[in-house]
Amino acid sequence: MRLLLREAFAAFRRAPLLSALSITTIGFSLYAVGLFALVAVNMKEALRLVEQRVEVVAYLLHGTPPESIALASQDIAAFPEVERVTFVSEDEALKRARAELVEFRDAYRDLAVNPLPASLEISLKDGYRDADHTAAVAARLKGYGFIDDVRYGREWIEKLDRLRNIAGLVGLMIGLAFAAVAVVIIGVTIRLTVLQRAREIQVMRLVGATHGFIRGPFLLEGAIKGLLGGLVAIALSYGTYTLLRGQIQLATSDIVFLRSSQVALGVCFGVAIGFLGSLMSVERHLRNV
Amino acid sequence: MIRFAHVSKDYPKGAALKNVSLHVAKGEFVFLTGHSGAGKSTILKMMYGELRPSAGDVRVSGYSIGDLSAGDVPKLRRRLGVVFQDFRLLEDRTAEENVAFALEVTGARRDGIPARVMRVLTQVGLAAKAHAYPQELSGGEQQRVAIARALVLDPAILIADEPTGNLDERATRGVFQLIREINAAGTCVVMATHDLDLVKQTTYRTIELREGQIVYDSGAEAGAAAAEDDL
Ligand SMILES: Nc1ncnc2c1ncn2[C@@H]1O[C@H](COP(=O)(O)OP(=O)(O)O)[C@@H](O)[C@H]1O
Ligand SMILES: [Mg+2]
């Protein structure tokens, strides 16, 4: 075991430049993944914040009797998805419009009749605020005869959702491209090390070292490079996150960093790249010694 | 110990061995002689599992070389010691480290290594130069280190491919004397050489090859009889 470690680390001394290059490439591979993961994670966070405020607004026909509205409110409040139902009367709607839309205050003041409809503002429970559940609630609301129109931010939610998926995919693709480059560079490093150690490998075989023993240091070397690459990527990602934190805000809260489980997954991925890169080339090159 | 039965080795350019049969008994000393290109190294390489026969059957220390699995090769090699004309020492390691290397890479217990290394270095007469690097040693001394490395795993068979080919007369005598002592202590030795002076000095069994065929074997019967039981 000590010999294995010694050999694995000696490889770094033998080819410091190529070793640094493979670590850097793995680092950048995972940094690319990390950046897009950051974007995706924060879009998800933004989505959560937006979804928290998702309301379905049902506009009522003018002249709907208050008893019907009260009954319907109770009914709707009993939907499994619904958290709260608030009735906004025509007068209240006008008052709000005057308060919120300062530019039109004069126009609203001079109106003879109130053009704004009364509405039911329905907020959904946590876990039901996604596009599908919102649409289901909206469809049910349309069943009421006195409900004129139902509005909710579906397009907005779906667009954000799609954007998040694209960010994740782009990150993954760029990451994979870098990973492929990393695998090639690791292959070159191993070829070099195998050539430098050809004599040693010949003697090992001659005296009866097992194949696993001979290739062990190469695989360990690859895995260590992957680990170091993963750490480089985390440092870069965290640095970027720190720089951006002051600049970008998600609604009212700060942008978030990856969870520790996601960071760990990234490092494991780095180790896997390094290990696989070694595994793929070590057999081929050992055969030529 | 070793049995070749109707063994051939073909290369695209022609056959390196043609219908070679031989037995080597436990503890025997056998010279393989013949001109350069006669097939000596080819036979030795089959013995340590570096080459497989194109036809025929090769058995060494219980292993059938023709269908040796990848996992069997190291097991076979641990029962053999192999030395070459060019020593094959690691230049960046001392004599002691070169010998210890064989133990380290075959998973020997670490705490036993120094004693085992000193024992074989003493046996080959190099205890005093344990800390010397190969380039600080004469050819004869380097071959002694290589022999020590081959012996440290206590092999049943020592395979030597022209071990004196790079040595002057004095060093040749010393190394050959050492190999004889190793054989006298019970290790089977197969030694390829084209140095007929060495061969004539002794009464050891001699197998002569010419163009891939055995043209003379001074001990075929004796060897065959003895080899039957200890395969
Ligand atoms: N790898 C190879 N490819 C083709 N021919 C080979 C190879 N190795 C050996 N030979 C041929 O096999 C014959 C025997 O070679 P070898 O066993 O090395 O002879 P020796 O050791 O007696 O000098 C020679 O004619 C040589 O050219
Ligand atoms: Mg030869």
Side-chain angles (χ1 to χ4, degrees):
Chain A
M1 193 62 212
R2 248 177 51 199
L3 189 77
L4 185 74
L5 275 171
R6 174 148 47 87
E7 278 307 325
F9 280 106
F12 289 85
R13 250 186 298 112
R14 288 198 192 91
L17 226 66
L18 271 173
S19 295
L21 196 61
S22 12
I23 292 170
T24 315
T25 332
I26 294 176
F28 272 102
S29 154
L30 292 170
Y31 179 46
V33 176
L35 276 189
F36 284 87
L38 262 183
V39 171
V41 159
N42 279 288
M43 283 176 104
K44 188 173 176 177
E45 182 66 12
L47 213 60
R48 201 176 61 80
L49 293 175
V50 169
E51 280 175 350
Q52 256 173 21
R53 290 182 294 174
V54 162
E55 286 198 330
V56 180
V57 183
Y59 294 99
L60 307 178
L61 285 175
H62 188 63
T64 307
E67 310 85 66
S68 309
I69 297 172
L71 222 61
S73 295
Q74 279 178 13
D75 226 15
I76 294 164
F79 286 5
E81 300 94 340
V82 170
E83 188 170 66
R84 194 163 19 86
V85 180
T86 316
F87 173 66
V88 181
S89 69
E90 292 170 10
D91 289 347
E92 267 173 275
L94 186 63
K95 221 181 290 168
R96 270 204 218 164
R98 281 185 180 142
E100 284 172 18
L101 306 167
V102 184
E103 298 84 350
F104 297 105
R105 188 172 287 165
D106 293 341
Y108 281 120
R109 192 168 45 210
D110 299 337
L111 288 170
V113 277
N114 181 358
L116 298 176
S119 61
L120 290 175
E121 289 179 355
I122 297 146
S123 60
L124 301 181
K125 283 181 194 155
D126 204 7
Y128 292 104
R129 289 176 188 139
D130 55 274
D132 286 350
H133 284 100
T134 315
V137 170
R140 241 173 292 150
L141 290 173
K142 279 182 186 146
Y144 291 94
F146 52 84
I147 290 182
D148 185 25
D149 191 14
V150 181
R151 295 272 174 82
Y152 59 95
R154 184 170 78 179
E155 289 80 11
W156 167 233
I157 292 174
E158 284 177 350
K159 215 174 278 173
L160 218 55
D161 229 359
R162 216 172 308 134
L163 222 58
R164 179 164 65 97
N165 288 336
I166 290 172
L169 208 67
V170 169
L172 202 64
M173 266 153 45
I174 295 181
L176 285 178
F178 271 101
V181 175
V183 163
V184 169
I185 294 179
I186 286 177
V188 173
T189 324
I190 287 196
R191 197 175 105 83
L192 206 80
T193 318
V194 167
L195 286 178
Q196 280 174 329
R197 293 184 57 208
R199 198 55 184 269
E200 220 169 290
I201 291 167
Q202 283 166 357
V203 173
M204 281 198 224
R205 283 191 180 145
L206 191 69
V207 300
T210 60
H211 184 62
F213 185 93
I214 292 172
R215 76 179 187 180
F218 292 100
L219 300 184
L220 187 65
E221 177 193 335
I224 290 172
K225 283 176 182 166
L227 179 73
L228 294 177
L231 296 178
V232 167
I234 290 170
L236 288 176
S237 301
Y238 195 79
T240 310
Y241 164 74
T242 319
L243 281 178
L244 292 180
R245 195 170 43 189
Q247 321 280 318
I248 305 174
Q249 290 259 311
L250 284 183
T252 53
S253 57
D254 267 339
I255 55 172
V256 295
F257 193 61
L258 305 172
R259 282 197 305 270
S260 52
S261 61
Q262 290 165 326
V263 169
L265 192 71
V267 174
C268 289
F269 193 51
V271 173
I273 295 175
F275 187 80
L276 281 179
S278 304
L279 193 65
M280 281 165 59
S281 65
V282 75
E283 295 298 333
R284 189 155 33 93
H285 296 311
L286 280 181
R287 221 173 290 144
N288 298 328
V289 171
Chain B
M1 274 284 104
I2 302 169
R3 192 192 72 197
F4 279 53
H6 309 292
V7 173
S8 300
K9 181 70 194 176
D10 301 323
Y11 284 114
K13 281 178 274 172
L17 290 184
K18 292 169 222 159
N19 195 27
V20 167
S21 296
L22 60 88
H23 295 269
V24 178
K26 204 171 182 177
E28 209 177 352
F29 192 119
V30 178
F31 276 124
L32 273 184
T33 65
H35 293 296
S36 176
K40 304 182 293 293
S41 296
T42 304
I43 286 184
L44 296 185
K45 280 177 185 168
M46 277 188 197
M47 288 180 183
Y48 58 88
E50 183 71 28
L51 284 180
R52 314 230 163 172
S54 307
D57 186 43
V58 176
R59 283 183 181 273
V60 178
S61 191
Y63 290 94
S64 172
I65 303 299
D67 33 53
L68 217 51
S69 75
D72 284 340
V73 176
K75 287 186 204 155
L76 169 69
R77 301 248 170 110
R78 288 178 197 196
R79 300 196 191 183
L80 311 173
V82 191
V83 294
F84 301 93
Q85 184 171 352
D86 60 358
F87 322 133
R88 306 210 180 163
L89 297 175
L90 302 173
E91 299 298 324
D92 59 347
R93 286 173 161 86
T94 63
E96 188 178 55
E97 286 164 352
N98 265 283
V99 177
F101 186 74
L103 290 170
E104 286 165 0
V105 303
T106 50
R109 280 178 55 103
R110 288 202 75 82
D111 50 8
I113 291 179
R116 292 174 74 178
V117 169
M118 262 344 266
R119 185 176 57 76
V120 284
L121 280 178
T122 307
Q123 189 183 346
V124 303
L126 271 185
K129 302 213 166 170
H131 300 297
Y133 286 89
Q135 60 269 32
E136 297 163 355
L137 297 172
S138 72
E141 287 168 336
Q142 289 185 53
Q143 190 60 289
R144 285 168 189 272
V145 177
I147 291 171
R149 182 177 67 191
L151 288 182
V152 77
L153 283 166
D154 294 319
I157 307 171
L158 179 68
I159 293 169
D161 194 349
E162 316 240 13
T164 60
N166 268 350
L167 305 181
D168 62 28
E169 203 187 327
R170 218 173 74 87
T172 294
R173 248 184 288 130
V175 165
F176 183 52
Q177 182 54 37
L178 173 62
I179 294 174
R180 294 181 67 174
E181 285 166 18
I182 290 164
N183 175 248
T187 306
C188 175
V189 175
V190 181
M191 175 170 161
T193 184
H194 54 239
D195 184 345
L196 291 180
D197 288 339
L198 274 189
V199 177
K200 278 184 221 148
Q201 273 176 35
T202 67
T203 57
Y204 292 137
R205 176 178 168 195
T206 304
I207 297 173
E208 191 186 339
L209 290 164
R210 196 173 298 156
E211 290 173 8
Q213 283 178 299
I214 295 182
V215 292
Y216 172 72
D217 184 346
S218 69
E221 279 84 55
E228 284 306 330
D229 11 83
D230 63 5
L231 268 175

